Amino acid sequence: MSLDFFDYRVRQRDYLLSIAQALVSRLNLRAVLRLILQGAVDLLQGQVGLIALRTAGKTFTFWASYGLPPAMVTSFESLVEDVPDVTSPADFFIPELGERLGEIAEETGLLLRQVVALPMMVEPQSLISGISRRAGGRTQELLGVIFVFRSHSLHFSLDDRQVLASFADYAAIAVNNARLYETAVTERRRMDALLDVSADGIMVLGPDLNVTRINRTLSTLTGWPGEEAVGHPYDALIVWARRNSERTLRQVLEAGWPARIAGTDAPLWQGRPLYVEGELRRRNGSVVSVGITYAPLLARSGRLLNIIAIVRDITRFREADALKDTFISIVSHELKTPIAIVKGYAETLSRPQAQRDPALMKEMLGAIVEESDRLASLVDDLLDASRLQAGGLPFQDIEEVDLSAVARHVVDRYRPQAQHPLVLDFPPDFPAVEGNPRRLEQVLDNLVSNAIKYSSPGGEVRIAGQATPAEVTISVHDSGMGIPLEEQERIFERFYRVESPDTRAVSGTGLGLYLTRAIVRAHGGRIWVESAPGRGATFYVVLPRQTGLALWEESSNHES
Ligand code: ADP
């Protein structure tokens, strides 16, 4: 063994070692390729080296050069002009390599007599599925070509080719790693974007149930910033104020979830998801209704890799549920009373004694008519409310409406039964507004009947009107129980009633003001209340004097 040979081996080992180090450290691809090229040129006693990589369009671009002024690199392009796309290193060749080299040497004036070119090949891997797409086991993908040039006329030997092949392998690994890394980064970006646009909260847990990442929605929902949540056990974020399911994820996991479905060939990552529902306590102490689906991600061996948790805010479903309950209880209560009265009177009337007393008969029939009217108007309100929910109240018949006359009409209707002084306060020249007379009467009727319902007998109810050139304002004032400030917005919501013994003593559905506000808004107007508990209430309705049908339809959609 000559000293030269020994020295050569040492240098080869040193190069391969530093290349291996460069590969594992995160050096950029160009730097790694240059290092590889330098080693190859040096060990093969060449003078010039080039690495060309195949780009997406299957053409080649030079990525690293050695021993060449950069400006000269383009002169070598003919070498990679029509490299055949091979699937095995054995098939690789570059047509007329010798002639091309001659032309390049002539063009550049460089003394280049010999060239060796070897393919850089890898077995393609699909990063996403982790499953090799190898067809027939040996199909490889051509990533690039490594060239070494000599200025002396010594031919490259088989040994030389083997040395270069090991460098080509390293170069292929470097390129492949860079490519996989890039794919991984792109995938991750895509995943981040997907996670972040999701309206559901999403969290990925490790097998130890620690958080590995959470998306923006879940950050907002829980109050945990993403970076801070990572590394915490999942139950630091998922804190239940109340839980509908018996067991937590941790308990279910300890009990053996997710069990593999024996005897099936179902993809293992589809292990059965687990659903938990309840009231989640946020970091700031407030509570939100959520439903969480935990989906296990299993390795092929069945080992648990991750759990993906989808956290959905179900407040709206809960509210809808609560509303349905309210609806049923209100409607049944409100329907029962008049039906019982009608039935009672009808039974009495069917007895012969009653028929002999015309005055009693008249009184009872009157009561039956009155209760039937109440039932009919309750049904009307319910229908209106459901139409409104479905996208607006259909309005037609727009006319000039004299609201002072409407107010008088409403007051006249209540006067016989009300034990309250009902006062009208309109200026004589009070102008008309454009609107639907029946619906505007419904507005005043609701406000006046509420003023009577929610104040004690004897208390004055005053309906006043004022006008400006563009608008009219109607106010309905009572000196009754009043409305606490925090309830003054909510009373306009569907089925909403103030929760107090005084209110409970008065029958009602909580639909009147909801419909009233919808009608006012459909006219392009506004409604609000000024009140304090025990100090009476004043409802204000402002309506534009002129409104077109167009405006009307448009605004009927903005019901909240
Ligand atoms: P209802 O009267 O059928 O309950 P409304 O929608 O007309 O439904 O009113 C909603 C709630 O607003 C009432 O239940 C009551 O608590 C409150 N409210 C309405 N008008 C008055 C008023 N003039 N004074 C005090 N509270 C009122």
Side-chain angles (χ1 to χ4, degrees):
M1 196 195 286
S2 76
L3 193 64
D4 257 7
F5 181 74
F6 180 74
D7 179 48
Y8 175 85
R9 283 286 175 226
V10 169
R11 275 191 298 145
Q12 183 180 25
R13 198 205 57 199
D14 284 352
Y15 272 122
L16 296 183
L17 208 67
S18 57
I19 291 166
Q21 268 165 1
L23 277 177
V24 291
S25 67
R26 292 261 225 93
L27 264 187
N28 75 41
L29 182 61
R30 270 181 208 280
V32 177
L33 292 183
R34 207 169 302 126
L35 189 65
I36 291 171
L37 200 54
Q38 186 190 344
V41 171
D42 182 18
L43 288 179
L44 298 190
Q45 296 176 333
Q47 277 69 43
V48 171
L50 278 170
I51 289 179
L53 295 189
R54 203 153 72 140
T55 51
K58 307 243 157 162
T59 55
F60 285 82
T61 323
F62 289 115
W63 267 65
S65 67
Y66 179 81
L68 262 188
M72 257 185 204
V73 172
T74 49
S75 306
F76 288 75
E77 268 164 7
S78 66
L79 288 180
V80 286
E81 241 155 39
D82 34 23
V83 175
D85 187 9
V86 295
T87 53
S88 145
D91 299 337
F92 177 80
F93 77 104
I94 293 184
E96 294 143 13
L97 188 57
E99 280 102 282
R100 293 187 196 200
L101 180 67
E103 285 162 19
I104 293 167
E106 201 166 304
E107 188 191 325
T108 55
L110 292 172
L111 191 63
L112 299 175
R113 294 233 173 83
Q114 293 295 329
V115 58
V116 61
L118 282 186
M120 293 153 46
M121 304 197 78
V122 283
E123 291 185 357
Q125 294 269 323
S126 160
L127 184 79
I128 303 161
S129 65
I131 297 162
S132 160
R133 283 186 277 121
R134 235 173 300 164
R138 298 235 56 90
T139 297
Q140 297 192 13
E141 189 189 346
L142 180 65
L143 297 181
V145 185
I146 180 166
F147 295 92
V148 174
F149 304 87
R150 272 183 188 158
S151 52
H152 50 89
S153 53
L154 207 66
H155 274 282
F156 282 99
S157 65
L158 202 60
D159 263 0
D160 286 340
R161 299 181 76 86
Q162 265 162 12
V163 170
L164 189 58
S166 63
F167 282 96
D169 283 348
Y170 271 116
I173 292 170
V175 172
N176 203 40
N177 279 358
R179 213 168 53 160
L180 290 181
Y181 181 71
E182 199 176 305
T183 316
V185 168
T186 317
E187 270 311 311
R188 174 146 191 137
R189 280 215 199 100
R190 209 195 316 254
M191 189 61 91
D192 280 345
L194 244 163
L195 288 183
D196 277 341
V197 296
S198 164
D200 285 332
I202 300 174
M203 153 170 94
V204 182
L205 309 178
D208 53 1
L209 297 188
N210 284 353
V211 176
T212 61
R213 69 200 281 214
I214 79 172
N215 74 344
R216 216 178 286 162
T217 311
L218 192 59
S219 280
T220 317
L221 200 67
T222 56
W224 279 78
E227 327 77 64
E228 204 187 327
V230 169
H232 276 83
Y234 88 102
D235 35 16
L237 280 74
I238 306 299
V239 181
W240 295 110
R242 199 178 52 76
R243 183 161 36 86
N244 290 2
S245 334
E246 246 171 53
R247 293 187 294 178
T248 63
L249 171 65
R250 206 178 280 285
Q251 288 161 341
V252 172
L253 204 66
E254 276 158 15
W257 179 85
R260 295 178 67 178
I261 311 151
T264 65
D265 203 21
L268 287 170
W269 49 269
Q270 275 184 347
R272 272 246 302 267
L274 173 78
Y275 185 72
V276 184
E277 205 178 276
E279 309 283 324
L280 188 76
R281 190 174 298 289
R282 293 190 166 106
R283 219 176 178 192
N284 66 7
S286 66
V287 161
V288 55
S289 295
V290 297
I292 308 184
T293 307
Y294 294 105
L297 186 71
L298 305 179
R300 312 201 99 216
S301 62
R303 185 169 56 88
L304 182 67
L305 293 176
N306 286 113
I307 293 171
I308 295 160
I310 316 262
V311 185
R312 177 164 290 187
D313 181 346
I314 55 169
T315 312
R316 277 179 147 306
F317 298 109
R318 281 288 169 81
E319 281 172 358
D321 248 17
L323 206 62
K324 200 177 68 203
D325 294 347
T326 315
F327 171 79
I328 292 170
S329 81
I330 283 178
V331 169
S332 43
H333 177 257
E334 288 298 302
L335 287 176
K336 241 161 124 182
T337 322
I339 288 173
I341 294 173
V342 168
K343 184 165 181 262
Y345 283 140
E347 274 171 2
T348 314
L349 279 172
S350 65
R351 291 191 198 117
Q353 306 93 294
Q355 286 162 13
R356 272 182 243 120
D357 185 343
L360 185 67
M361 244 175 94
K362 193 165 174 239
E363 189 190 317
M364 288 185 177
L365 285 172
I368 288 175
V369 169
E370 198 180 298
E371 291 306 320
S372 309
D373 284 347
R374 264 183 59 175
L375 278 174
S377 89
L378 174 65
V379 172
D380 280 346
D381 278 0
L382 288 170
L383 285 176
D384 279 350
S386 98
R387 274 192 211 120
L388 207 58
Q389 203 55 21
L393 282 170
F395 287 124
Q396 277 135 18
D397 308 327
I398 309 303
E399 300 169 11
E400 297 259 291
V401 183
D402 175 2
L403 286 173
S404 67
V406 174
R408 200 175 321 117
H409 185 218
V410 170
V411 162
D412 286 347
R413 194 166 49 236
Y414 282 103
R415 203 161 264 142
Q417 50 193 26
Q419 294 153 303
H420 303 66
L422 304 178
V423 182
L424 284 169
D425 183 4
F426 281 80
D429 56 349
F430 191 73
V433 296
E434 277 181 6
N436 179 299
R438 196 174 65 82
R439 291 297 184 181
L440 290 177
E441 179 169 339
Q442 193 181 345
V443 167
L444 292 190
D445 191 288
N446 266 323
L447 296 179
V448 172
S449 84
N450 277 350
I452 295 169
K453 270 184 357 186
Y454 299 107
S455 63
S456 319
E460 183 185 273
V461 172
R462 175 178 292 266
I463 304 112
Q466 280 170 348
T468 66
E471 293 176 330
V472 300
T473 303
I474 311 281
S475 61
V476 179
H477 172 80
D478 67 62
S479 39
M481 61 178 76
I483 304 158
L485 189 63
E486 64 278 11
E487 306 276 12
Q488 289 178 9
E489 262 303 309
R490 300 214 64 189
I491 54 172
F492 295 98
E493 289 173 13
R494 224 164 20 136
F495 296 124
Y496 193 83
R497 307 195 72 209
V498 173
E499 190 47 54
S500 78
D502 286 345
T503 309
R504 228 174 292 132
V506 180
S507 88
T509 56
L511 283 177
L513 287 179
Y514 169 68
L515 295 174
T516 299
R517 184 178 65 174
I519 295 167
V520 170
R521 283 184 172 176
H523 281 77
R526 354 183 250 292
I527 180 170
W528 72 95
V529 65
E530 286 172 9
S531 177
R535 310 262 300 273
T538 309
F539 283 83
Y540 293 91
V541 172
V542 176
L543 294 169
R545 284 169 61 171
Q546 292 204 316
T547 149
L549 190 58
L551 203 162
W552 191 276
E553 282 169 350
E554 191 188 306
S555 57
S556 66
N557 290 331
H558 80 208
E559 174 54 28
S560 55

